Amino acid sequence: KGLGVAAPEPLYVLATDMGSNRVVAGPREALAATSVALRGARLHREAAEVDRVKLRYRSKAVPCRIAAEHGRGRVELELHEPVDGPAPGQTACLLRGDVVVGWGTIAAG
């Protein structure tokens, strides 16, 4: 809000770079993500049992699968439907149905 840039549609923050003091803005569609990287992930069941993830407190659970485990708690989720802008630093709640089977922190980019 208040960028002083004329655009035919609302713009959303897509990325920030503190080093170069830049903010990258774009249309809402550019926020859509179909994969999410997690760090510090903890699973209390086999990875194959994860079938949903909640990426925000009041959001609905999104169908997903664990596409890769990279060791040291690094996990890559493949989402079955796009979500707008997973927020780095927030907790992702890993589910099997409506039962919590793990969690992790959403990693940047």
Side-chain angles (χ1 to χ4, degrees):
K1 182 173 180 164
L3 292 176
V5 176
E9 60 186 279
L11 298 176
Y12 296 84
V13 174
L14 304 177
T16 58
D17 183 354
M18 291 184 358
S20 65
N21 198 28
R22 288 179 20 153
V23 174
V24 178
R28 183 177 187 109
E29 300 84 48
L31 290 174
T34 56
S35 67
V36 175
L38 303 181
R39 60 181 166 81
R42 303 279 300 218
L43 292 172
H44 296 289
R45 299 284 188 276
E46 294 295 318
E49 292 193 40
V50 174
D51 65 0
R52 298 169 189 261
V53 63
K54 280 191 77 161
L55 298 170
R56 297 186 190 280
Y57 172 67
R58 293 185 183 258
S59 67
K60 69 177 184 122
V62 177
C64 73
R65 73 178 188 89
I66 293 183
E69 293 182 79
H70 302 290
R72 303 190 132 189
R74 294 178 308 146
V75 170
E76 185 77 24
L77 295 177
E78 179 183 295
L79 306 176
H80 298 307
E81 57 190 58
V83 296
D84 286 345
Q90 297 296 310
T91 300
C93 184
L94 303 171
L95 306 162
R96 183 176 120 212
D98 59 356
V99 175
V100 176
V101 295
W103 63 87
T105 302
I106 299 171

